[in-house]
């Protein structure tokens, strides 16, 4: 009997050690991802400042709207695959389903190719027929159409690497290589020209994304497990592929919900107000890097824990994530509230009038940080439809408030609409996770 107790104690200690190692691995990966996000945020901030100064508020607003449309089209082209692929790759590796995984990845690449072809063909027909009015030159349109498939395949490549637990390497091409190339080109333009056009800025983006895609594709090829390379290609079942549709809806609605204030400001108040909003929005993006950084390594680990039905470990993961992300995010909010005018002044004196909008957006980040990784939890546990419902309701609320507030308050009205939408979906997800999954994603657990 004592010997049996000793065996049970050994098993319990081993299990505890494994869980501790998993926790340390998450913290280490999150720390590396956070460092990468901080570097990327710094580069993005410098690039944003240079672009804002070179383009001016009106042209910067137009550039931001066009780039947002490009990203929206690329998100549509990946048909909801990135988050779905990360989850499925992590689960397939956990169970050793290599043949099914290889077939899924091949089908995913073909799906993105044909979806991109269909989107660009439809857009070309609409332009040629005159049903859609062009908001810029043909040079801008052509560069934009080239950017769409490159961004789409880059998203797919990154999602596969994340599922294989190469979380930091997945983000290096997009978060480090691309902004560094963009920075080099912008510095050259800053010293060579007084100002540049939207076409010039998009051309720089094209050069940067090509380099990022080439590097990322090479890393994906060299980091694939040998078992995956040697596996037979087993086509996935159609019913399994339908699981991407909720993720597609979530991605499109989330992007629309996040950018609807920018679009409506451009439509209702002009591209200058859109440019002011974009400057404030970029600064707020710096605040959220803590939560974003820990969300990336969390995705495959949370999917694997849920596949094992290990709810205690899942709770531990999301609690650690919430605490790590909130510390940095809340510190950033304080800086923005105190030094809003100074930070916006870096973009140029014309952008200082967006200070109130910046403070309003920062309020939304307080709630976002406190809520933790509620959306990630629901998507990694198969509750995509709930996430999509929350985003739809937030989008409708955002649009209603924007139509009322933008004519009255301008850029501050757009910020108010965006903040209310963010607060709504965070609260909605937290409540659902707490009562349905019995998991608390907030910093208060």
């Amino acid at each position: 009997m004592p010997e049996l107790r000793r065996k049970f104690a050994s098993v319990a200690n081993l299990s505890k050690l494994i869980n501790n190692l998993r926790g340390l691995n998450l913290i280490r990966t999150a720390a590396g991802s956070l460092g990468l996000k901080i570097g990327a945020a710094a580069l993005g901030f410098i690039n944003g400042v240079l672009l804002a100064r070179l383009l001016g508020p009106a042209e910067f607003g137009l550039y931001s709207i066009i780039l947002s449309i490009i990203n929206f089209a690329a998100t549509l082209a990946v048909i909801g695959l990135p988050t779905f692929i990360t989850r499925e790759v992590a689960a397939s590796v956990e169970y050793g389903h290599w043949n099914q995984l290889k077939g899924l990845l091949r089908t995913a690449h073909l799906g993105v190719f044909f979806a991109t072809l269909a989107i660009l063909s439809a857009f070309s027909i609409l332009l040629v027929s005159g049903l859609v009015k062009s908001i810029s030159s043909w040079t801008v349109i052509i560069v934009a159409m080239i950017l769409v498939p490159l961004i789409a395949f880059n998203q797919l490549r990154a999602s596969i690497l994340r599922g294989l637990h190469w979380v930091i390497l997945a983000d290096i091409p997009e978060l480090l290589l691309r902004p560094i190339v963009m920075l080099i080109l912008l510095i050259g333009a800053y010293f060579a020209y007084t100002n540049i056009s939207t076409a010039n800025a998009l051309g720089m983006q094209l050069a940067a994304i090509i380099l990022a895609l080439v590097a990322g594709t090479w890393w994906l090829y060299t980091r694939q497990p040998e078992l995956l390379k040697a596996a037979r290609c087993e086509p996935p079942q159609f019913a399994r592929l339908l699981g991407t549709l909720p993720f597609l809806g979530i991605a499109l609605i989330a992007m629309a919900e996040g950018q609807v204030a920018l679009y409506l400001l451009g439509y209702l108040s002009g591209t200058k107000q859109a440019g002011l909003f974009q400057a404030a929005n970029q600064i707020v993006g710096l605040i959220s890097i803590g939560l974003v950084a820990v969300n990336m390594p969390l995705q495959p680990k949370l999917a694997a824990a849920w596949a094992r039905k290990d709810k205690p470990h899942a709770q531990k993961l999301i609690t650690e994530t919430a605490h790590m992300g909130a510390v940095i995010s809340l510190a950033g909010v304080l800086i923005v509230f105190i030094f809003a005018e100074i930070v916006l002044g870096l973009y140029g004196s014309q952008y200082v009038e967006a200070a109130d909008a910046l403070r309003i957006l920062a309020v939304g980040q307080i709630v976002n940080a406190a809520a933790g990784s509620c959306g990630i939890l629901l998507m990694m546990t198969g509750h995509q439809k709930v996430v999509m419902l929350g985003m739809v309701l937030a989008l409708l609320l955002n649009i209603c408030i924007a139509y009322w507030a933008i004519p009255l308050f301008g850029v501050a009205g757009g910020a108010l609409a965006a903040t209310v939408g963010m607060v709504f979906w965070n609260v909605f997800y937290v409540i659902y996770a707490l009562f349905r999954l019995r998991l608390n994603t907030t910093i208060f657990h």
Side-chain angles (χ1 to χ4, degrees), residues 164-182:
L164 294 172
H165 297 281
W166 292 98
V167 176
I168 298 175
L169 193 63
D171 288 335
I172 287 178
E174 183 68 20
L175 297 184
L176 197 62
L177 292 181
R178 182 178 172 183
I180 285 176
V181 174
M182 191 69 181

Side-chain angles (χ1 to χ4, degrees), residues 43-56 60 182-188 190-191 196 346-347:
L43 289 169
F45 179 72
I46 296 170
N47 288 344
V49 169
L50 289 173
L51 273 169
R53 286 182 171 272
L54 287 167
L55 292 170
F60 183 55
M182 191 69 181
L183 178 61
I184 293 170
L185 295 174
L186 283 172
I187 290 174
Y190 187 79
F191 287 105
I196 60 174
L346 297 173
Y347 285 79

Side-chain angles (χ1 to χ4, degrees), residues 24-57:
L24 290 173
N25 187 38
L26 174 65
I27 294 172
R28 186 167 55 249
T29 306
S33 182
L34 177 59
L36 182 61
K37 292 288 191 303
I38 291 172
L43 289 169
F45 179 72
I46 296 170
N47 288 344
V49 169
L50 289 173
L51 273 169
R53 286 182 171 272
L54 287 167
L55 292 170

Side-chain angles (χ1 to χ4, degrees), residues 178-251:
R178 182 178 172 183
I180 285 176
V181 174
M182 191 69 181
L183 178 61
I184 293 170
L185 295 174
L186 283 172
I187 290 174
Y190 187 79
F191 287 105
Y193 305 100
T194 305
N195 50 47
I196 60 174
S197 66
T198 300
N200 298 141
L202 289 176
M204 295 176 191
Q205 287 284 0
L206 178 60
I209 193 66
I210 288 174
L211 178 61
L213 182 60
V214 169
T217 302
W218 170 252
W219 282 329
L220 175 60
Y221 177 76
T222 56
R223 294 319 192 270
Q224 286 185 53
E226 292 299 324
L227 289 172
L228 179 59
K229 292 180 181 179
R232 293 181 295 104
C233 186
E234 187 176 307
Q237 296 179 350
F238 182 73
R240 187 184 185 188
L241 295 177
L242 289 177
T244 64
L245 295 180
F247 289 109
L248 173 60
I250 292 166

